[in-house]
Amino acid sequence: MIKPQSLLCPKPAGLYCPPGDFYIDPVRPVERAVITHGHADHARAGHGVVVATAPTLAIMAARYGEGFAGKVQALEYGEALNRDGVEITLVPAGHVLGSAQVVVRFKGLTMVVSGDYKRRRDPTCPPFEPVVCDVFVTEATFGLPVFRHPPDTEEIAKLLASVAQFPARSHVVGVYALGKAQRVICLLREAGWDRPIPAHGALERLNALYEGFGIDLGPLEAATTDCGADFAGAIVLAPPSALATPWARRFADPVDAFASGWMRIRARARQRGVELPLIISDHADWDELTATIAELHPGEVWITHGREDALARWCGLQGIPARALDLVGYEDEGE
Ligand SMILES: [Zn+2]
Ligand SMILES: [Zn+2]
């Protein structure tokens, strides 16, 4: 069997496959790229050929314009693509709409690149699919034992309880535009919140894109105060950057909330002036990361980005050799 590092190797532009001559989630423009999902740090414009799921390609087109790549090729989940003897398959990663793990097979060696992933149910995308592999290349955004995300239903209940307690105030929830916004909307709908949800203009395009792919978000409206509405009692969604800005201050005595895995760290919430932290993450927490590695029990683990050391140490204790790739250019979470 060939060595894993001759099938995939870290380069400044990203993870490169020499026999197939392509990169996975390159951070610089390259000739051929396979893209795991649409978050801006993984999906960049300017590549020659881009292979990804149809929703990921649509997300890239929505963000960068139709000419974001020289050529695109959509792959269905489970559909195999062969490049010079290297077989590439995309399987669900459970992270956001269209998100995929990249399964790379060559001469009897199977390597799986998770991209960003989570193991929890998400009403907006199919669940993570475990694939038996020789090498599992994982993210580790929340790769510390302190990161344990509570059930998302509990966090949504916290939000609804606050709305019930302060009916005269508006609740402005910071959400990343891709994935978090639509998941929070779906979770609110599942919890029985059927009122129109005002959304900041920066979320409109991706909300519409999700609906185009069959994700029902229920009634949404523009979060504009132009016609005198103050959105008292409403749950307003906005990109995190809009929290605590004059835009958000126009609403009725707003309660600032923020839905992110980072809200586990109280200092972070305080620092951002978040009154109501909601621990809702689209990344695997410590338990999900370790349970996934235990379940796959790969011959080797590579860690792309995030808190690499603790997870590498944990793998070592399980007798699984682990290697931190220290890939640069990927953000902590979201945009
Ligand atoms: Zn992501
Ligand atoms: Zn990422």
mmCIF file of all heavy atoms in Angstrom, residues 179-196:
data_model
loop_
_atom_site.group_PDB
_atom_site.id
_atom_site.type_symbol
_atom_site.label_atom_id
_atom_site.label_comp_id
_atom_site.label_asym_id
_atom_site.label_seq_id
_atom_site.Cartn_x
_atom_site.Cartn_y
_atom_site.Cartn_z
ATOM 1 N N GLY A 179 -25.712 28.643 7.199
ATOM 2 C CA GLY A 179 -25.876 27.484 8.060
ATOM 3 C C GLY A 179 -26.536 27.799 9.386
ATOM 4 O O GLY A 179 -27.625 27.321 9.677
ATOM 5 N N LYS A 180 -25.873 28.642 10.185
ATOM 6 C CA LYS A 180 -26.411 28.910 11.523
ATOM 7 C C LYS A 180 -27.755 29.607 11.439
ATOM 8 O O LYS A 180 -28.690 29.266 12.176
ATOM 9 C CB LYS A 180 -25.413 29.741 12.334
ATOM 10 C CG LYS A 180 -25.688 29.773 13.827
ATOM 11 C CD LYS A 180 -25.507 28.426 14.493
ATOM 12 C CE LYS A 180 -24.109 27.888 14.374
ATOM 13 N NZ LYS A 180 -23.090 28.661 15.077
ATOM 14 N N ALA A 181 -27.865 30.586 10.553
ATOM 15 C CA ALA A 181 -29.115 31.337 10.425
ATOM 16 C C ALA A 181 -30.272 30.386 10.121
ATOM 17 O O ALA A 181 -31.307 30.407 10.811
ATOM 18 C CB ALA A 181 -28.985 32.384 9.319
ATOM 19 N N GLN A 182 -30.085 29.551 9.131
ATOM 20 C CA GLN A 182 -31.180 28.683 8.695
ATOM 21 C C GLN A 182 -31.468 27.587 9.725
ATOM 22 O O GLN A 182 -32.610 27.204 9.935
ATOM 23 C CB GLN A 182 -30.842 28.067 7.335
ATOM 24 C CG GLN A 182 -30.636 29.105 6.225
ATOM 25 C CD GLN A 182 -29.278 29.814 6.298
ATOM 26 O OE1 GLN A 182 -28.311 29.249 6.817
ATOM 27 N NE2 GLN A 182 -29.191 31.041 5.786
ATOM 28 N N ARG A 183 -30.426 27.108 10.402
ATOM 29 C CA ARG A 183 -30.643 26.083 11.425
ATOM 30 C C ARG A 183 -31.421 26.664 12.604
ATOM 31 O O ARG A 183 -32.361 26.046 13.101
ATOM 32 C CB ARG A 183 -29.289 25.539 11.900
ATOM 33 C CG ARG A 183 -29.410 24.454 12.952
ATOM 34 C CD ARG A 183 -28.054 23.845 13.253
ATOM 35 N NE ARG A 183 -28.033 23.071 14.467
ATOM 36 C CZ ARG A 183 -26.971 22.970 15.258
ATOM 37 N NH1 ARG A 183 -25.849 23.600 14.948
ATOM 38 N NH2 ARG A 183 -27.029 22.225 16.348
ATOM 39 N N VAL A 184 -31.047 27.879 13.019
ATOM 40 C CA VAL A 184 -31.750 28.514 14.140
ATOM 41 C C VAL A 184 -33.214 28.760 13.763
ATOM 42 O O VAL A 184 -34.120 28.520 14.565
ATOM 43 C CB VAL A 184 -31.041 29.823 14.569
ATOM 44 C CG1 VAL A 184 -31.932 30.672 15.466
ATOM 45 C CG2 VAL A 184 -29.730 29.490 15.283
ATOM 46 N N ILE A 185 -33.455 29.189 12.523
ATOM 47 C CA ILE A 185 -34.841 29.399 12.087
ATOM 48 C C ILE A 185 -35.610 28.071 12.159
ATOM 49 O O ILE A 185 -36.703 28.006 12.723
ATOM 50 C CB ILE A 185 -34.887 29.965 10.642
ATOM 51 C CG1 ILE A 185 -34.340 31.399 10.618
ATOM 52 C CG2 ILE A 185 -36.316 29.934 10.095
ATOM 53 C CD1 ILE A 185 -34.099 31.969 9.223
ATOM 54 N N CYS A 186 -35.032 26.996 11.619
ATOM 55 C CA CYS A 186 -35.715 25.694 11.637
ATOM 56 C C CYS A 186 -35.951 25.201 13.067
ATOM 57 O O CYS A 186 -37.011 24.649 13.371
ATOM 58 C CB CYS A 186 -34.918 24.655 10.851
ATOM 59 S SG CYS A 186 -34.989 24.922 9.071
ATOM 60 N N LEU A 187 -34.964 25.417 13.945
ATOM 61 C CA LEU A 187 -35.124 24.976 15.338
ATOM 62 C C LEU A 187 -36.237 25.780 16.026
ATOM 63 O O LEU A 187 -37.014 25.231 16.816
ATOM 64 C CB LEU A 187 -33.807 25.130 16.111
ATOM 65 C CG LEU A 187 -32.673 24.183 15.697
ATOM 66 C CD1 LEU A 187 -31.371 24.555 16.407
ATOM 67 C CD2 LEU A 187 -33.039 22.727 16.012
ATOM 68 N N LEU A 188 -36.312 27.072 15.710
ATOM 69 C CA LEU A 188 -37.395 27.897 16.263
ATOM 70 C C LEU A 188 -38.752 27.387 15.764
ATOM 71 O O LEU A 188 -39.709 27.283 16.539
ATOM 72 C CB LEU A 188 -37.212 29.368 15.865
ATOM 73 C CG LEU A 188 -36.177 30.150 16.678
ATOM 74 C CD1 LEU A 188 -35.852 31.481 16.002
ATOM 75 C CD2 LEU A 188 -36.684 30.393 18.112
ATOM 76 N N ARG A 189 -38.831 27.051 14.489
ATOM 77 C CA ARG A 189 -40.094 26.533 13.935
ATOM 78 C C ARG A 189 -40.473 25.233 14.626
ATOM 79 O O ARG A 189 -41.622 25.008 14.974
ATOM 80 C CB ARG A 189 -39.961 26.310 12.424
ATOM 81 C CG ARG A 189 -39.661 27.554 11.581
ATOM 82 C CD ARG A 189 -40.628 28.665 11.846
ATOM 83 N NE ARG A 189 -40.425 29.830 10.976
ATOM 84 C CZ ARG A 189 -40.843 31.057 11.297
ATOM 85 N NH1 ARG A 189 -41.457 31.286 12.447
ATOM 86 N NH2 ARG A 189 -40.644 32.067 10.474
ATOM 87 N N GLU A 190 -39.484 24.363 14.826
ATOM 88 C CA GLU A 190 -39.765 23.075 15.488
ATOM 89 C C GLU A 190 -40.218 23.283 16.929
ATOM 90 O O GLU A 190 -40.957 22.482 17.482
ATOM 91 C CB GLU A 190 -38.515 22.176 15.459
ATOM 92 C CG GLU A 190 -38.212 21.644 14.068
ATOM 93 C CD GLU A 190 -36.956 20.784 14.024
ATOM 94 O OE1 GLU A 190 -36.246 20.691 15.046
ATOM 95 O OE2 GLU A 190 -36.690 20.205 12.947
ATOM 96 N N ALA A 191 -39.765 24.389 17.535
ATOM 97 C CA ALA A 191 -40.158 24.681 18.925
ATOM 98 C C ALA A 191 -41.499 25.418 18.967
ATOM 99 O O ALA A 191 -41.945 25.820 20.038
ATOM 100 C CB ALA A 191 -39.071 25.505 19.603
ATOM 101 N N GLY A 192 -42.114 25.614 17.801
ATOM 102 C CA GLY A 192 -43.448 26.194 17.771
ATOM 103 C C GLY A 192 -43.501 27.684 17.492
ATOM 104 O O GLY A 192 -44.566 28.290 17.543
ATOM 105 N N TRP A 193 -42.369 28.318 17.226
ATOM 106 C CA TRP A 193 -42.341 29.755 16.936
ATOM 107 C C TRP A 193 -42.788 29.954 15.488
ATOM 108 O O TRP A 193 -42.010 29.726 14.561
ATOM 109 C CB TRP A 193 -40.935 30.303 17.163
ATOM 110 C CG TRP A 193 -40.828 31.802 17.029
ATOM 111 C CD1 TRP A 193 -40.360 32.492 15.937
ATOM 112 C CD2 TRP A 193 -41.181 32.775 18.007
ATOM 113 N NE1 TRP A 193 -40.407 33.841 16.196
ATOM 114 C CE2 TRP A 193 -40.908 34.053 17.459
ATOM 115 C CE3 TRP A 193 -41.723 32.702 19.299
ATOM 116 C CZ2 TRP A 193 -41.146 35.241 18.155
ATOM 117 C CZ3 TRP A 193 -41.949 33.892 19.995
ATOM 118 C CH2 TRP A 193 -41.663 35.134 19.429
ATOM 119 N N ASP A 194 -44.055 30.376 15.303
ATOM 120 C CA ASP A 194 -44.546 30.469 13.922
ATOM 121 C C ASP A 194 -44.707 31.904 13.440
ATOM 122 O O ASP A 194 -45.207 32.152 12.349
ATOM 123 C CB ASP A 194 -45.862 29.684 13.761
ATOM 124 C CG ASP A 194 -46.890 30.057 14.816
ATOM 125 O OD1 ASP A 194 -46.691 31.087 15.513
ATOM 126 O OD2 ASP A 194 -47.896 29.330 14.952
ATOM 127 N N ARG A 195 -44.267 32.884 14.260
ATOM 128 C CA ARG A 195 -44.392 34.275 13.837
ATOM 129 C C ARG A 195 -43.346 34.610 12.762
ATOM 130 O O ARG A 195 -42.327 33.927 12.655
ATOM 131 C CB ARG A 195 -44.196 35.182 15.054
ATOM 132 C CG ARG A 195 -45.355 35.021 16.044
ATOM 133 C CD ARG A 195 -45.052 35.587 17.387
ATOM 134 N NE ARG A 195 -44.645 36.988 17.349
ATOM 135 C CZ ARG A 195 -44.454 37.730 18.445
ATOM 136 N NH1 ARG A 195 -44.627 37.188 19.648
ATOM 137 N NH2 ARG A 195 -44.091 38.982 18.355
ATOM 138 N N PRO A 196 -43.624 35.648 11.979
ATOM 139 C CA PRO A 196 -42.610 36.041 10.985
ATOM 140 C C PRO A 196 -41.290 36.360 11.684
ATOM 141 O O PRO A 196 -41.291 36.961 12.765
ATOM 142 C CB PRO A 196 -43.202 37.301 10.359
ATOM 143 C CG PRO A 196 -44.675 37.233 10.626
ATOM 144 C CD PRO A 196 -44.822 36.498 11.925
#
